[in-house]
């Protein structure tokens, strides 16, 4: 496991594959849609720089499929950035299975008040993330490892919110995500249109993982079509979990 934050020294492992670093300027980027200015404001140039990184190094290094290029803005960057509508000001956010930085980096660009940590196990992806964060001057932490590892929980745990996008089925995702937030913190999982069926299927596993008060929410209405669908789950204290409150244990004689 390694950690990296722009402007500070951490033990960052570099690959030996000789890939070219991500360039700082955003050159040749497709013109962003009008909605991007609403979401990113005066930080739109950083969003354009991220678009250029995904379209260039992201495709070359196999982090983004070439077929996704025509919909990078709507399906990926804006689709993720609008998640900020559900996050309180100044919150500590952990993005698990961050991959090429989705949704964590669009959130960091749109919401500089957030304290964001990206968790990703694959070296080539964490190198991409660290290089982009350095070139863009973002204050974002990168932790290489799996969300369920004790070292990652120690490094990134205690957050207000944990986010994810297309990482795992709900039952497994809850086991990985909920331990990273404090009691009454929330898991915000970006899901598709079948989220209600997934919630019904995995509700017992969600409860066993300590989750409750599940809600299916939409964000980005009027900005992205269709709106971003998010499953919000609260981490409940043990005393508030079903089957625990008011239970008396009688010791056998």
């Amino acid at each position: 496991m390694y950690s990296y934050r722009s402007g500070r020294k951490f033990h960052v492992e570099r690959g030996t594959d000789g890939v070219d670093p991500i360039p700082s300027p955003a050159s040749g980027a497709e013109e962003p849609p009008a909605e991007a200015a609403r979401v990113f404001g005066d930080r739109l140039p950083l969003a354009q720089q991220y678009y250029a990184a995904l379209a260039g190094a992201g495709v070359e290094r196999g982090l983004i499929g070439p077929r996704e290029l025509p919909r990078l803005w709507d399906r990926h960057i804006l689709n993720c950035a609008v998640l900020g509508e559900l996050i309180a000001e100044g919150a500590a956010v952990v993005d698990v299975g961050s991959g090429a930085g989705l949704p964590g980096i669009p959130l960091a660009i749109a919401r500089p008040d957030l304290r964001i940590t990206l968790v990703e196990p694959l070296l080539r992806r964490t190198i991409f993330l660290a290089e982009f964060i350095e070139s863009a001057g973002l204050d974002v932490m990168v932790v290489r490892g799996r969300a369920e590892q004790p070292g990652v929980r120690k490094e990134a745990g205690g957050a207000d919110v944990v986010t994810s996008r297309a990482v795992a089925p709900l039952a497994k995702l809850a086991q990985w995500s909920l331990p990273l937030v404090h009691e009454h913190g929330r898991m915000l999982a970006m899901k598709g249109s079948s989220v209600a069926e997934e919630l019904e299927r995995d509700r017992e596993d969600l409860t066993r993982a300590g989750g409750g008060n599940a809600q299916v929410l939409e964000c980005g209405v009027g900005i992205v079509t269709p709106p971003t669908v998010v499953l919000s789950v609260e981490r409940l204290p043990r005393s508030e979990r079903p089957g625990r409150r008011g239970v008396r244990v009688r010791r056998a004689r």
Side-chain angles (χ1 to χ4, degrees), residues 3-10 12 14 129-142:
S3 303
Y4 169 87
R5 186 186 293 277
S6 178
R8 295 175 57 186
K9 292 183 178 179
F10 285 83
V12 181
R14 293 291 177 178
L129 295 172
E131 288 177 351
F132 177 76
I133 289 166
E134 183 71 32
S135 67
L138 297 177
D139 186 17
V140 173
M141 174 81 81
V142 180

Side-chain angles (χ1 to χ4, degrees), residues 34-35 41 58 73 129 147 154 176 178 198 233 248 251 253:
E35 292 80 6
W73 278 112
L129 295 172
K154 182 178 179 180
W176 295 346
L178 289 172
E198 189 175 1
V233 179
R248 294 182 179 180
R251 183 172 296 174
R253 296 182 181 274

Side-chain angles (χ1 to χ4, degrees), residues 4-231:
Y4 169 87
R5 186 186 293 277
S6 178
R8 295 175 57 186
K9 292 183 178 179
F10 285 83
H11 47 291
V12 181
E13 301 172 18
R14 293 291 177 178
T16 57
D17 51 2
V19 294
D20 295 330
I22 297 172
S24 294
S27 57
E30 179 182 302
E31 192 69 22
E35 292 80 6
R38 292 173 54 191
V39 173
F40 295 108
D42 61 2
R43 291 168 69 84
L44 180 57
L46 287 176
Q48 290 177 280
Q49 186 175 336
Y50 183 51
Y51 171 96
L54 290 177
V59 173
E60 293 165 7
R61 302 184 194 182
L63 307 183
I64 292 287
R67 293 183 179 180
E68 296 302 310
L69 288 178
R71 50 188 185 178
L72 273 183
W73 278 112
D74 294 336
R75 185 178 176 85
H76 298 284
I77 298 174
L78 288 172
N79 182 259
C80 290
V82 296
L83 189 60
E85 296 176 6
L86 306 178
I87 303 176
E89 185 175 356
V93 179
V94 177
D95 184 34
V96 299
S98 197
L102 300 164
I105 286 182
L107 275 175
I109 295 172
R111 293 283 307 278
D113 60 293
L114 301 178
R115 294 166 287 145
I116 295 180
T117 299
L118 310 180
V119 175
E120 169 55 47
L122 294 185
L123 177 61
R124 63 188 174 89
R125 293 176 179 170
T126 52
I127 289 175
F128 172 86
L129 295 172
E131 288 177 351
F132 177 76
I133 289 166
E134 183 71 32
S135 67
L138 297 177
D139 186 17
V140 173
M141 174 81 81
V142 180
V143 175
R144 182 184 172 205
R146 298 186 181 279
E148 67 271 27
Q149 292 176 326
V152 172
R153 290 183 180 178
K154 182 178 179 180
E155 184 89 18
D160 301 305
V161 173
V162 59
T163 61
S164 59
R165 181 178 190 252
V167 172
L170 179 57
K172 188 167 291 186
L173 184 62
Q175 295 174 18
W176 295 346
S177 298
L178 289 172
L180 291 171
V181 296
H182 55 69
E183 291 181 350
H184 298 299
R186 291 186 300 153
M187 175 180 86
L188 296 178
M190 297 176 64
K191 290 288 185 178
S193 57
S194 61
V195 61
E197 290 83 355
E198 189 175 1
L199 178 58
E200 185 64 27
R201 182 195 69 203
D202 294 342
R203 190 178 292 276
E204 290 187 7
D205 295 285
L206 190 64
T207 300
R208 279 195 291 269
N213 298 325
Q215 302 177 73
V216 177
L217 306 172
E218 288 186 344
C219 51
V221 176
I223 297 173
V224 291
T225 304
T228 300
V229 177
V230 179
L231 177 63

